[in-house]
Amino acid sequence: FFLRRRPPPSSTLARSRAGSEVYKRQLRRAVIKVESNFNSGAVSSKGAIGLMQLMPLTAAALHVLDPFDPKDNIYAGAALLRRLLNRFDGDLSLALAAYHVGETRVRQTLGTPALPATQLYVERVLSHYHRFRAESHQTAAHSRTRESGGEAFLASPRGRE
């Protein structure tokens, strides 16, 4: 006799996936904040272009026709981040370092390169990422309370006093 676990309700799966999408969106926002400060026309002194500061060869490899187009730039930058996260087994710091200085340099040093600019870059992206995630949680919690007509407040012990 085998017990079969019930699959989670689709609403739970949807929330789980939506939560994961929120984190991905916040990571993209953090990278964009540090890379271009949300300026789609940004061009670095090294030639990186657009919101996520794609190098021209990287943009071409990712089939981006117009790296200044925000949608294409973000799509390609997100694909690159996803690939780097996979290559570095989900290690966000290593993936961000590789996004900044290149995968080869990170692999050669077997970790985040001891370059002050790269270390600062990783710290700044992670700082913004954590802040954006916290803001997202606060907004979602506030929204749920408003949607429930304040039921969360009323259900709390203080709300009944």
Side-chain angles (χ1 to χ4, degrees), residues 43-56:
V43 178
S44 76
S45 59
K46 302 218 183 226
I49 301 167
L51 289 170
M52 294 191 78
Q53 291 291 280
L54 299 174
M55 293 301 285

Side-chain angles (χ1 to χ4, degrees), residues 14 20 22 26-27 33 36 47 55 61 65-66 75 78 91 95 97 99 111 115 121 123 129 138 145-146 150 153:
S20 141
V22 167
Q26 303 316 332
L27 179 57
K33 171 69 177 159
S36 67
M55 293 301 285
L65 298 176
D66 180 6
Y75 183 81
D91 187 317
Y99 192 90
L115 303 168
Y121 173 84
E123 288 172 19
Y129 174 57
Q138 289 172 346
T145 302
R146 283 187 27 210
F153 174 75

Side-chain angles (χ1 to χ4, degrees), residues 3 8-9 24 34 52 66 76 105 132 138 141 144 153 160:
L3 291 177
K24 291 175 189 172
V34 173
M52 294 191 78
D66 180 6
R105 284 186 85 174
F132 292 152
Q138 289 172 346
R144 281 192 302 271
F153 174 75
R160 289 187 223 133

Side-chain angles (χ1 to χ4, degrees), residues 10 14 20 22 35 44 47 60 83 96 115 123 135 141 154:
S10 58
S20 141
V22 167
E35 289 285 354
S44 76
R83 187 179 82 210
L96 290 171
L115 303 168
E123 288 172 19
E135 290 170 1
L154 295 174

Side-chain angles (χ1 to χ4, degrees), residues 34-90:
V34 173
E35 289 285 354
S36 67
N37 199 27
F38 303 103
N39 177 2
S40 63
V43 178
S44 76
S45 59
K46 302 218 183 226
I49 301 167
L51 289 170
M52 294 191 78
Q53 291 291 280
L54 299 174
M55 293 301 285
L57 287 175
T58 303
L62 295 168
H63 310 289
V64 175
L65 298 176
D66 180 6
F68 288 106
D69 178 83
K71 185 177 175 183
D72 288 350
N73 191 286
I74 292 171
Y75 183 81
L80 177 58
L81 268 175
R82 197 170 30 254
R83 187 179 82 210
L84 292 169
L85 278 165
N86 288 338
R87 294 225 171 121
F88 290 102
D89 297 320

Side-chain angles (χ1 to χ4, degrees), residues 9-23:
S10 58
S11 62
T12 303
L13 290 173
R15 272 196 309 273
S16 168
R17 179 148 171 85
S20 141
E21 289 302 316
V22 167
Y23 294 133

